[in-house]
Amino acid sequence: MARIAYILLCHKEPEHVIDQARRLVAAGDFVSIHYDARAPKAEFAALKAALAEEPNVCFARRRVKCGWGEWTLVRATLSALEAAVGAFPRATHFYMLSGDCMPIKSAAYAHEFLDERERDFIESVDFHTSGWIKTGIKEERLVYRHFFNERAQKRLFYASLGLQERFGLKRAIPDGLRIMIGSQWWCLRRRTVERLLEFLRQRRDIIRFFSTTWIPDETFFQTLVRHLVPEEEIEPSTLTFLMFSDYGMPIQFYNDHYDLLLAQDALFARKISPEAEDLRARLGALYADPRTRFDISGEGKRLHGFLTSRGRIGRRFASRFWEKESTLGRERELMIVVCKKWHVAKRLLERVRQVTNMPTVNYLFNEESTPLPDMGGIERQMDKRTRHCRALMRMLFDHFETDRLAICIDPGSLDLLHDFFSDRARTRLLEIECSFSDAYLAGHARRIGLAGATTPEAALARLLPSLRQDILYETDRIRDAEFPDHSIMRQTQTVAENAAALAEFLAVSPQTAHEIAATDYLFAD
């Protein structure tokens, strides 16, 4: 009978990981866990302690700091895979999962399904001809070396790529490999995994090549399995049910998706919303119940598309995620910096990102040129960003794979502040109060088109009091709104006073806040 060793990659919510591992091993299967080294040590210690008495649970020998699109994701997977092969000699299959995955079939169904099919299940199509990559760079992922993360180090990423293109520094694909691409969620037989690990021990050039490709988790296993296993023994699809929105982001499943998920021709589903507690409980109980019978229709993607195209309010599923009622997620924290001097707020957020590694985005609702990732078009027009502000923010949380995100907003965007503070997410506000000299206000008047290069000084002098009053009016409106979690930094305050406000806003230590507040050029014009 098939016995599955689940390779579980996770980076947060250790209590859910504990529940997930216990549920899977209770049915006679195994779990090998890699818990992201970026997560707090205390979380990992609690996870190990809770599962210490579970003989069918092991942990990757080495924790890796994982980054989206990086080789680190493959390295973490290999570490957990090697641990599972050594710890569980009775495992017949190895199934890749994330902390967001849940079973949509029982263990009995999964075991019988795999017993009847002597195959490896891995989506694997030709990299160059399949059209699998819809946007962004394609061949450049492979033929150039990538040492920087496109999300966290965008300028360095593209500068490095540009230099290599300019000087013709292309490299060859390793001998004998036909590069394939597909979903990272696979299920492989034991002999395939053992053959793959032995192949890597013999061909270190394979590791060197893929470790500097971009998004190797979509190509590494997909290529090597095709290289090592006869085509007739490969099912080029994933056993994990997942869907993507029109904006290219993973669709989350909620409590009322239970029947839909059970009807799909898959063993697991991704992503289950953290808020869907009832769905998680029902799917958890399902895995241990051998009596459940499944009527497979496989109509999930068609039905979901049909209903969402007509508006889902009051229908079978939850309302569209871009409707007014959508939420950023109860477990998330949105930190908003409001400042009339945009360069001051940008400098502050850059220091926050450098010191805390928290993702930050500048004036995305006020400045058209703000760099944003490709999200299917919603990011290209300012009116779309504002109209679907919560959808955009939710997609950014997903893009950065974070539960904490900091942004800048102009003080005049009071409606946006009210919208975000009415969300279920925890929203914090930091107001930066700056000093405005007449020279600065005159330059501001020219930047926003109220004055030109030839505007007489007398006309400017009459304009400046109105501008100063308008800035004060925006500040008064924000304070009159009495938003909770509202902190204030002032140009006239000491570093220690501003550090206290920052510590409260960011929920960081006083030492970390002081390091940020002490930036000597922060308020310079």
Side-chain angles (χ1 to χ4, degrees), residues 69 137 140-141 145-151 153-164 214:
I137 61 175
E140 295 88 346
R141 291 189 185 189
R145 295 168 177 83
H146 300 279
F147 304 103
F148 304 103
N149 188 295
E150 191 269 345
R151 289 186 173 182
Q153 302 161 300
K154 188 179 291 289
R155 290 182 180 177
L156 290 172
F157 180 92
Y158 286 107
S160 172
L161 177 60
L163 286 172
Q164 292 179 73
W214 181 235

Side-chain angles (χ1 to χ4, degrees), residues 45-179:
L47 180 64
K48 288 198 73 172
L51 298 173
E53 302 301 318
E54 297 286 355
N56 287 354
V57 174
C58 74
F59 290 85
R61 293 184 180 91
R62 181 182 178 187
R63 291 176 68 201
V64 178
K65 291 183 178 181
C66 296
W68 188 93
E70 294 179 7
W71 168 252
T72 50
L73 285 173
V74 178
R75 192 169 67 180
T77 304
L78 287 172
S79 182
L81 194 58
E82 290 168 344
V85 169
F88 309 128
R90 297 173 63 189
T92 62
H93 293 77
F94 297 82
Y95 194 127
M96 179 80 171
L97 288 178
S98 79
D100 296 322
C101 295
M102 290 288 290
I104 56 174
K105 298 292 185 293
S106 64
Y109 181 98
H111 296 154
E112 183 178 347
F113 180 93
L114 294 175
D115 281 336
E116 293 174 352
R117 296 163 176 81
E118 187 57 34
R119 288 171 172 265
D120 295 305
F121 293 85
I122 181 167
E123 186 177 28
S124 177
V125 296
D126 188 273
F127 181 93
H128 298 284
T129 63
S130 64
W132 203 86
I133 299 174
K134 303 298 183 186
T135 60
I137 61 175
K138 187 174 180 179
E139 184 188 21
E140 295 88 346
R141 291 189 185 189
L142 306 174
V143 299
Y144 297 113
R145 295 168 177 83
H146 300 279
F147 304 103
F148 304 103
N149 188 295
E150 191 269 345
R151 289 186 173 182
Q153 302 161 300
K154 188 179 291 289
R155 290 182 180 177
L156 290 172
F157 180 92
Y158 286 107
S160 172
L161 177 60
L163 286 172
Q164 292 179 73
E165 290 176 330
R166 179 180 176 183
F167 291 105
L169 300 179
K170 283 188 177 182
R171 58 177 173 175
I173 306 297
D175 290 343
L177 287 191
R178 175 190 174 195
I179 303 297

